[in-house]
Amino acid sequence: DSGVTQTPKHLITATGQRVTLRCSPRSGDLSVYWYQQSLDQGLQFLIQYYNGEERAKGNILERFSAQQFPDLHSELNLSSLELGDSALYFCASSVERALSGANVLTFGAGSRLTVL
Amino acid sequence: DAKTTQPNSMESNEEEPVHLPCNHSTISGTDYIHWYRQLPSQGPEYVIHGLTSNVNNRMASLAIAEDRKSSTLILHRATLRDAAVYYCILRDVVGEKLTFGTGTRLTIIP
């Protein structure tokens, strides 16, 4: 158990639907990152939040959005789902009290989304 | 983040040392070298990181070339549980994210 909790573990839904993935960071970690891993794309960075504020954005589609709440948990919202959105979605957290390349990330076990 | 180059796959015998290479010829002076691994059906897991000097921890050792343009992750005695995809990543001082490449798929032969 890495200390990063992601729910649900598995989710099956239909095209056009909307889902929410939830992440609870490791205790004491202020930053949350979201990554998408599909078979043909590898691990793609989506977005990062630090203490409630968006810090960095990657290849996140406009149909996707995220937020980090005051208790530091984060949610990734995926809407108007397409078949190609089927993937593993990972959340990671980091302490990052200061901006440093030495900060390491702790990943959760992921949420597997299947869009039919 | 600067680019890294790793072999797509490697094989090693169980209980032998494994040396996983990584080239990063465009590394900047403030880039840290991070290694993560991803076991089957799991999220990535931090292995080790370093800046200039060689580093050791309970999982592995990281050997960094003097010019920092390459590094090697060393697993001293591979077990079957070390079979995973290993990612070498550069992260600069003000970097906000880790950018994963394709990594090296390590197969351990019993």
Side-chain angles (χ1 to χ4, degrees), chain A residues 33 35 37 43 45 48 55-56 90 96 99-105 107-109, chain B residues 32 34 36 38 41-44 46 49 87 91-94 96-100:
Chain A
Y33 301 72
Y35 282 83
Q37 187 173 38
L43 273 158
F45 168 71
Q48 181 208 356
R55 172 170 275 183
F90 289 104
E96 296 202 35
L99 290 174
S100 169
N103 286 316
V104 301
L105 271 60
F107 283 80
Chain B
Y32 281 79
H34 287 249
Y36 284 73
Q38 188 172 17
S41 303
Q42 295 188 27
Y46 165 77
H49 76 281
Y87 298 97
R91 194 179 195 205
D92 65 30
V93 175
V94 294
E96 306 292 6
K97 61 186 187 294
L98 290 180
T99 301
F100 288 80

Side-chain angles (χ1 to χ4, degrees), chain A residues 3-111:
Chain A
V4 177
T5 304
Q6 291 188 246
T7 57
K9 285 188 169 45
H10 301 276
L11 189 55
I12 301 174
T13 188
T15 54
Q17 295 298 305
R18 172 190 169 94
V19 298
T20 297
L21 309 180
R22 181 188 169 103
C23 170
S24 293
R26 206 176 52 154
S27 177
D29 286 358
L30 300 177
S31 270
V32 169
Y33 301 72
W34 287 97
Y35 282 83
Q36 179 193 54
Q37 187 173 38
S38 54
L39 279 175
D40 59 346
Q41 291 290 327
L43 273 158
Q44 300 288 317
F45 168 71
L46 296 178
I47 198 164
Q48 181 208 356
Y49 282 83
Y50 175 77
N51 207 19
E53 293 190 6
E54 182 184 306
R55 172 170 275 183
K57 223 170 194 178
N59 302 321
I60 188 166
L61 300 172
E62 284 191 11
R63 299 183 286 108
F64 296 179
S65 65
Q67 59 184 127
Q68 186 179 28
F69 295 87
D71 66 353
L72 300 177
H73 90 271
S74 178
E75 292 181 356
L76 179 67
N77 301 298
L78 315 175
S79 61
S80 302
L81 285 168
E82 302 175 359
L83 295 178
D85 297 328
S86 295
L88 270 167
Y89 291 84
F90 289 104
C91 169
S93 72
S94 175
V95 172
E96 296 202 35
R97 293 192 183 92
L99 290 174
S100 169
N103 286 316
V104 301
L105 271 60
T106 302
F107 283 80
S111 293

Side-chain angles (χ1 to χ4, degrees), chain B residues 36-109:
Chain B
Y36 284 73
R37 71 179 185 181
Q38 188 172 17
L39 278 65
S41 303
Q42 295 188 27
E45 172 188 35
Y46 165 77
V47 178
I48 200 166
H49 76 281
L51 183 61
T52 56
S53 305
N54 294 344
V55 184
N56 300 296
N57 67 20
R58 64 173 180 83
M59 288 181 69
S61 295
L62 176 60
I64 301 173
E66 197 169 333
D67 64 3
R68 301 210 324 125
K69 293 186 176 182
S70 65
S71 61
T72 302
L73 178 70
I74 303 166
L75 306 179
H76 294 286
R77 195 165 165 269
T79 70
L80 295 178
R81 290 187 299 175
D82 291 321
V85 178
Y86 286 78
Y87 298 97
C88 169
I89 304 157
L90 301 183
R91 194 179 195 205
D92 65 30
V93 175
V94 294
E96 306 292 6
K97 61 186 187 294
L98 290 180
T99 301
F100 288 80
T102 54
T104 297
R105 183 173 298 277
L106 176 65
T107 300
I108 305 298
I109 302 167

Side-chain angles (χ1 to χ4, degrees), chain B residues 1-17:
Chain B
D1 294 325
K3 184 177 170 56
T4 62
T5 305
Q6 300 177 253
N8 287 333
S9 62
M10 289 183 64
E11 287 185 351
S12 181
N13 294 321
E14 193 178 10
E15 298 187 4
E16 289 188 357

